[in-house]
Amino acid sequence: MVGLSRRQFLAGTACAVAGGTGAFATSWTSAAQEIHLQSRETAFNFGPKPTNGLISLADNAPPPILRLKQGQPAALNYTNGLADYSTMHWHGIRLPNDMDGVPYLTQMPIAQGETFQYRFTPPDAGTYWYHPHCMTMSQMAKGLTGVLIVDEAEDQGFDADISLNLKDFRLAEDGSLLPYFTARGAARAGTFGNIRTTNWQQEPSYDVPAGGLIRLRFVVSDTTRVHKLYFPEVAGKIIAWDGHPVNEEIPWPTKDAPLWLGPGQRVDVAIVAPDQEGEELLFNSLIGTNYPFEIARLRSIGHSLSRQAGDIPTLPKNPIEAADPATSNIEETVFGWSPEGDGTNNGLCGSNGYIFWSINRNPWKGDAVANGGPVVSMALGDSYILRLRNESPNLHPIHLHGLVFKPIRSNLRHIPANYTDTVLLLKDEIIDVLVRADNPGQWAFHCHVIEHQKTGLSGFVSVG
Ligand code: C2O
Ligand code: CU
Ligand code: CU
């Protein structure tokens, strides 16, 4: 599809069957879960002064939490209400390639007033999220990121379920939006926001039933910040990582050993709320090694439900076919500085105006026509080891669309072998991940620090 004009593309797919082909095809029925979404400009008060020019799917409120049911067809009709082009991407969901929302690679950009019907059946339960993949930098920076929950086919028996969408904004004193990135930031760790929010609130407090079993879903939807989370000392357990039930246990994070969660990543945590009404629990993240800030607090309300740590369920496994650990297919991918390159592109999805980064020495001019072929070509059904090598001093949360993979070794540390779609690559780190190429198509493969993505650290893999 790469290289077609918008008109050719629309003509060519006018009679395509919704839901695509292959193992993840949706057999469309009218008994589906149907949701209408419309992007719009809006205003919101983060502090005393209003911020105008934000983007959401609701007026004066953050994008909503969307809930789908595992194994049931979903229709998400996205209408672009903005003057700029847009698309929507369902981060972490294994779906047919033509529903993946990547401009030029899987669909053409959606113009103002147009609607794209995203139709898929989520095979996996868990915590996912959504964001545009066209004008990605500006639209995400202005607020268009939301939590997407796929509920397990069977209820898991929690007394409360709270999503925490972690996102920074860059605001001036008068409440107005500051430029959403700087060239200096884009060439280094990224440009950090100065207002840290959870569900667009600063230090929100949520009431939960005393003694209840609480599921918390942390979602880092920020364009830049790597969170270092630590949790209160209560009975609790990490139950899912990047959507999928944990396979290898993840230790409960403390201030000295926080849990690093990069842009794009999610973690699901189960806790038992304190028995005493009014008692609070604080959830924090760290800047550097010792500047903590509060993400959210929970406050117990009512008579204790007297739940116990032993009541925390083991989530049912998602239907992932394991990759072959004995595979000898090893593919090298190197993330580093870009060779020469100007920042211009000929697409409709925006440019940050610079190129700083590359994958295998090739910069992809973010959200536009691909520069050459796939980073890796995989045969449908085969297993591969992708060797992810960071040649830079900066952190890169490396994300792959459409497939799940498992880290199997690192040159620097032990990484629990849990299924994921995004792995945080540290300075000088080399991580091998094992993947089964079971979903056909061209899948975006990029750093989720959006400034890196938009200045070259992006590409795609092909499965077919
Ligand atoms: Cu969440 Cu290609 O992205
Ligand atoms: Cu994604
Ligand atoms: Cu990066």
Side-chain angles (χ1 to χ4, degrees):
M1 286 177 194
V2 175
L4 289 183
S5 77
R6 190 160 186 277
R7 178 173 293 277
Q8 284 169 321
F9 185 95
L10 291 173
T13 55
C15 55
V17 178
T21 53
F24 295 83
T26 298
S27 55
W28 184 250
T29 71
S30 57
Q33 24 195 356
E34 185 156 5
I35 301 177
H36 294 273
L37 306 166
Q38 178 158 359
S39 53
R40 67 201 68 193
E41 281 211 9
T42 193
F44 190 79
N45 283 57
F46 292 101
K49 307 218 174 95
T51 301
N52 296 306
L54 295 166
I55 298 177
S56 185
L57 301 174
D59 292 325
N60 313 116
I65 296 168
L66 303 180
R67 288 199 104 102
L68 301 176
K69 192 103 178 162
Q70 182 180 18
Q72 289 184 15
L76 298 157
N77 304 318
Y78 174 50
T79 301
N80 180 15
L82 307 168
D84 283 333
Y85 285 85
S86 190
T87 64
M88 199 59 86
H89 169 60
W90 318 98
H91 181 122
I93 303 274
R94 298 190 295 151
L95 40 56
N97 193 238
D98 57 354
M99 297 290 121
D100 198 39
V102 181
Y104 303 103
L105 199 62
T106 74
Q107 70 170 92
M108 291 308 283
I110 308 169
Q112 183 172 30
E114 285 184 355
T115 300
F116 191 97
Q117 301 189 330
Y118 293 97
R119 294 183 172 188
F120 56 86
T121 300
D124 305 316
T127 304
Y128 303 92
W129 65 293
Y130 62 93
H131 60 81
H133 224 286
C134 172
M135 303 302 293
T136 315
M137 184 75 238
S138 61
Q139 293 181 8
M140 284 180 64
K142 292 173 180 175
L144 190 47
T145 71
V147 176
L148 172 61
I149 295 172
V150 180
D151 282 312
E152 288 79 13
E154 304 286 328
D155 183 74
Q156 297 300 301
F158 289 97
D159 301 310
D161 186 326
I162 296 175
S163 294
L164 305 169
N165 180 356
L166 307 178
K167 169 157 179 34
D168 299 354
F169 290 85
R170 275 169 56 76
L171 304 183
E173 292 266 296
D174 65 359
S176 64
L177 284 164
L178 289 169
Y180 34 75
F181 79 99
T182 60
R184 190 188 152 80
R188 296 178 177 79
T191 309
F192 291 85
N194 53 5
I195 304 290
R196 295 179 294 270
T197 72
T198 300
N199 303 330
W200 288 24
Q201 304 290 330
Q202 293 176 67
E203 306 186 350
S205 172
Y206 298 100
D207 289 349
V208 294
L213 207 57
I214 317 299
R215 182 175 188 167
L216 289 162
R217 304 170 188 263
F218 296 81
V219 177
V220 180
S221 82
D222 191 49
T223 54
T224 309
R225 185 178 301 283
V226 175
H227 278 270
K228 296 178 201 166
L229 303 171
Y230 64 98
F231 303 151
E233 291 175 35
V234 284
K237 205 173 160 186
I238 293 178
I239 55 173
W241 179 250
D242 289 332
H244 303 285
V246 294
N247 178 49
E248 180 180 332
E249 195 182 326
I250 300 173
W252 195 248
T254 60
K255 192 170 178 211
D256 293 333
L259 184 66
W260 292 43
L261 203 63
Q265 296 199 278
R266 297 85 63 206
V267 65
D268 288 34
V269 174
I271 59 135
V272 179
D275 281 320
Q276 290 302 319
E277 175 152 51
E279 216 180 307
E280 292 187 323
L281 296 177
L282 265 57
F283 292 82
N284 289 302
S285 184
L286 279 174
I287 293 177
T289 50
N290 55 20
Y291 173 47
F293 63 94
E294 191 176 321
I295 285 174
R297 63 177 68 196
L298 303 184
R299 188 171 62 135
S300 287
I301 293 295
H303 290 296
S304 178
L305 298 178
S306 303
R307 305 287 293 257
Q308 310 290 325
D311 297 336
I312 295 173
T314 300
L315 298 173
K317 282 196 191 340
N318 282 325
I320 298 168
E321 220 186 312
D324 174 8
T327 179
S328 55
N329 298 324
I330 298 178
E331 300 284 349
E332 295 273 347
T333 61
V334 179
F335 308 97
W337 292 93
S338 161
E340 294 308 292
D342 69 42
T344 55
N345 67 39
N346 57 357
L348 299 170
C349 286
S351 161
N352 279 26
Y354 303 91
I355 289 291
F356 297 121
W357 300 96
S358 63
I359 302 180
N360 290 356
R361 321 264 171 246
N362 193 7
W364 204 46
K365 296 175 180 181
D367 293 349
V369 178
N371 188 5
V375 178
V376 178
S377 295
M378 298 190 272
L380 184 63
D382 283 4
S383 295
Y384 292 83
I385 288 168
L386 302 181
R387 181 156 292 162
L388 314 175
R389 183 191 301 268
N390 186 1
E391 279 193 339
S392 80
N394 304 109
L395 273 52
H396 302 290
I398 300 297
H399 172 50
L400 176 60
H401 289 211
L403 304 169
V404 291
F405 58 83
K406 218 179 234 187
I408 52 172
R409 60 187 157 252
S410 153
N411 63 332
L412 297 183
R413 57 184 168 140
H414 175 74
I415 305 177
N418 291 306
Y419 282 117
T420 177
D421 49 70
T422 308
V423 67
L424 187 63
L425 205 51
L426 306 179
K427 176 180 187 304
D428 298 325
E429 189 169 36
I430 304 167
I431 301 178
D432 281 356
V433 304
L434 184 60
V435 61
R436 187 181 173 89
D438 58 1
N439 197 1
Q442 293 186 319
W443 300 109
F445 179 54
H446 61 88
C447 177
H448 226 291
V449 170
I450 307 299
E451 287 155 86
H452 294 172
Q453 177 194 353
K454 292 286 287 187
T455 58
L457 218 165
S458 186
F460 68 96
V461 306
S462 78
V463 176

